[in-house]
Amino acid sequence: MAQQQAQASYDAQDLWQKDRNHFVHPFTDFSVFHENGCDLITDSDGIYVEDAHGNRFIDGIAGLWCVNVGHGRAEIGQAMAEQATRMAYFSTFNNLSNAPATELAAKLAELAPAHLNHVFYSCGGSTANDATIRLVHYYFNRLGKPSKKRILSRTNAYHGTTYMAASLTGIASNNWQFDTLDLVTHLSEANCYRRPEGMSEAEYCDHLTDELEQTIDRLGADNIAAFIAEPIMGAGGVLVAPQGYHSRVQAICRANDILFIADEVVTGFGRLGHFFASEAVFETQPDIINVAKGLSSGYAPLGATLISDALYEVLSTPQGPGGVLSTGFTYSGHPVSCAAALKNIEIIEREGICENVLDVGPYLESQLKTLASHETVGDIRGSHFMMAIENVADKTTKELLPVEARVGDRVAAEAQKRGLIIRPVGHLNIISPPLIWTRQVVDEVVAILDDAFAATTRSLKADGCL
């Protein structure tokens, strides 16, 4: 972090106190927050971040699935500064636009599957998914099919925390004592590790698609607007569906006049080695793809909904005299955010970052699988730079450890002591790093994790949890 040496130091205790007293964090664990507060990350460079005490860590979660090109990219900051100085903001409502938003829309159309040529901007992943459902309902209203309102999602899906996006989300704990909208039906997740005993992967795919068809028959296709899915489930456990699942689901949707929405907020912009995974990896052609996170590598808030030509033809037809497409956000197509995204995409292309993921990703997968020797490691899954480790009490039965053991937190804490930040999600640990990791970094990370899992097993036994 040599370039940051000249920056002013922080008063770590003062920051910690102010944070605890005033900042309501997303997904705060209040059982420990009031006593422990937060770890304050204050500096970053490449694959590293640093806390207010000067401790340096390998970033194993890319900020939050999003810092794809790595931290401290001066040229992105410069592009943002130049745009902010030239014109920080002006409305994109009512037939007004700006250069970065226009150039970015054209670039996204170039990179996306050929039929997705139209871009609606939002402020992040939740708002992209939220806005998409509003557009989908409007689309069917315009077609004279107002009964098509219900959305099919999946158990353990994560689509965000705005009201509609939270309703799409199928992680039960995310919505404990929160209200949701009665517009969503959740199907089973595609969880190969926990598929029914004795069922092959191919049979499991049949089982899941049969459930979809039965659900459509029960609800009536005339009442269903869309099916939404992450190509690989993220926060719900990095769940990789059985071979052919997504293409078969899309075919069923097409046969029933149900739109197929791919939530590529996590998988987009290189995490699986491609700008978009839907077509390149999963052989689908979604009607809509939603993106955020890696779109700007987290350097500025930005989300986008990529819309097919067929949908746009309907959405862009005037309702009548004075009728407008009356949806959007103050910051739709924000010029500074779009400038950041354009420079981010330029870096991904220029430095061959997708190619790096295709090279290093399989190595990360293979090295992480060496951790299967640990007593608590039940499953290691994912693809390329999107991986998860599931902790269990018994490898044979796949029984989970008790919630109070906080196994994911223990592993993450042991890793952090050794200089690596990974993400705990209940009994899981997620690794979703910047896309610039090398094989040497992978070796360092796996060595840290090896020690962290060994220490966790010892502490679980010492506490009588294992």
Side-chain angles (χ1 to χ4, degrees):
M1 301 190 182
Q3 76 271 27
Q4 298 177 354
Q5 293 295 318
Q7 291 184 359
S9 60
Y10 292 97
D11 182 330
Q13 181 58 35
D14 179 62
L15 271 180
W16 180 89
Q17 193 70 48
K18 288 175 178 174
D19 185 273
R20 194 188 68 161
N21 290 350
H22 304 294
F23 188 176
V24 182
H25 291 262
F27 291 88
T28 304
D29 183 351
F30 282 115
S31 68
V32 295
F33 176 78
H34 294 298
E35 181 178 353
N36 297 341
C38 281
D39 295 328
L40 286 139
I41 304 300
T42 57
D43 296 281
S44 63
D45 179 26
I47 66 166
Y48 298 99
V49 294
E50 191 172 293
D51 68 16
H53 299 283
N55 300 307
R56 192 187 202 209
F57 308 95
I58 296 172
D59 176 7
I61 59 174
L64 190 62
W65 309 96
C66 59
V67 188
N68 289 9
V69 299
H71 299 276
R73 292 280 191 160
E75 59 186 303
I76 298 181
Q78 185 63 34
M80 294 170 68
E82 289 174 359
Q83 181 59 48
T85 302
R86 183 171 188 171
M87 185 189 73
Y89 173 76
F90 202 79
S91 171
T92 58
F93 283 33
N94 304 114
N95 297 359
L96 295 166
S97 193
N98 65 70
T102 299
E103 293 288 358
L104 179 60
K107 185 64 179 177
L108 292 174
E110 174 194 321
L111 294 170
H115 65 295
L116 296 170
N117 290 303
H118 310 279
V119 179
F120 180 87
Y121 290 115
S122 51
C123 305
S126 293
T127 51
N129 286 324
D130 215 301
T132 290
I133 301 308
R134 191 160 194 246
L135 289 171
V136 164
H137 286 161
Y138 176 73
Y139 166 79
F140 281 115
N141 289 343
R142 297 302 317 280
L143 289 178
K145 300 177 180 180
S147 67
K148 290 179 77 67
K149 291 289 185 286
R150 187 146 293 274
I151 310 297
L152 303 180
S153 184
R154 299 182 295 170
T155 302
N156 280 323
Y158 183 84
H159 298 294
T161 59
T162 53
Y163 229 116
M164 187 67 234
S167 302
L168 297 171
T169 291
I171 303 172
S173 60
N174 275 31
N175 290 321
W176 283 346
Q177 298 193 36
F178 280 96
D179 292 336
T180 56
L181 301 172
D182 185 21
L183 287 168
V184 183
T185 296
H186 289 95
L187 303 165
S188 299
E189 73 216 51
N191 187 339
C192 289
Y193 178 58
R194 295 189 175 275
R195 66 181 182 263
E197 189 75 25
M199 188 177 282
S200 70
E201 185 172 317
E203 290 169 335
Y204 184 48
C205 190
D206 292 339
H207 171 76
L208 293 169
T209 53
D210 286 347
E211 180 194 22
L212 171 59
E213 291 182 315
Q214 290 164 15
T215 301
I216 293 170
D217 288 342
R218 175 171 57 85
L219 297 174
D222 289 345
N223 298 315
I224 303 170
F227 173 94
I228 185 169
E230 305 149 274
I232 293 179
M233 280 188 167
V238 188
L239 301 177
V240 182
Q243 184 71 29
Y245 167 84
H246 289 281
S247 58
R248 288 179 63 181
V249 166
Q250 179 182 259
I252 294 168
C253 288
R254 290 257 166 92
N256 287 278
D257 192 24
I258 295 169
L259 298 178
F260 184 82
I261 304 168
D263 180 348
E264 289 222 43
V265 168
V266 171
T267 57
F269 298 90
R271 190 146 298 280
L272 302 183
H274 303 273
F275 274 100
F276 297 93
S278 291
E279 187 172 58
V281 180
F282 297 97
E283 300 179 338
T284 59
Q285 294 80 40
D287 298 291
I288 293 172
I289 293 180
N290 290 331
V291 294
K293 294 187 183 293
L295 170 58
S296 67
S297 278
Y299 279 72
L302 185 62
T305 295
L306 281 65
I307 300 166
S308 73
D309 296 332
L311 266 71
Y312 180 75
E313 183 177 352
V314 174
L315 297 175
S316 63
T317 301
Q319 303 163 342
V324 300
L325 183 67
S326 51
T327 190
F329 305 94
T330 298
Y331 295 133
S332 291
H334 193 286
V336 176
S337 295
C338 291
L342 283 165
K343 185 58 69 172
N344 172 64
I345 292 169
E346 178 188 318
I347 291 169
I348 293 173
E349 291 185 313
R350 185 181 72 227
E351 297 187 4
I353 287 177
C354 287
E355 290 78 3
N356 183 66
V357 173
L358 291 174
D359 174 52
V360 179
Y363 184 72
L364 173 61
E365 293 176 43
S366 66
Q367 295 307 105
L368 285 175
K369 285 177 180 176
T370 65
L371 300 171
S373 60
H374 288 280
E375 190 173 340
T376 61
V377 174
D379 192 33
I380 300 160
R381 59 176 176 261
S383 179
H384 294 80
F385 277 36
M386 187 176 179
M387 300 295 297
I389 299 171
E390 181 165 344
N391 299 285
V392 296
D394 187 301
K395 292 190 180 192
T396 302
T397 65
K398 303 177 185 177
E399 178 188 356
L400 296 176
L401 288 145
V403 172
E404 55 270 20
R406 301 177 71 96
V407 61
D409 291 329
R410 289 185 192 232
V411 173
E414 293 292 350
Q416 192 162 329
K417 287 178 190 175
R418 293 161 174 81
L420 169 68
I421 294 177
I422 58 174
R423 187 180 179 197
V425 181
H427 59 283
L428 305 169
N429 289 104
I430 291 174
I431 299 97
S432 57
L435 308 186
I436 57 173
W437 271 15
T438 63
R439 290 173 182 244
Q440 181 180 357
V441 173
V442 169
D443 290 341
E444 184 179 355
V445 164
V446 172
I448 290 172
L449 289 172
D450 193 32
D451 288 345
F453 276 103
T456 298
T457 300
R458 290 193 296 272
S459 74
L460 288 168
K461 289 182 174 179
D463 292 344
C465 299
L466 189 65

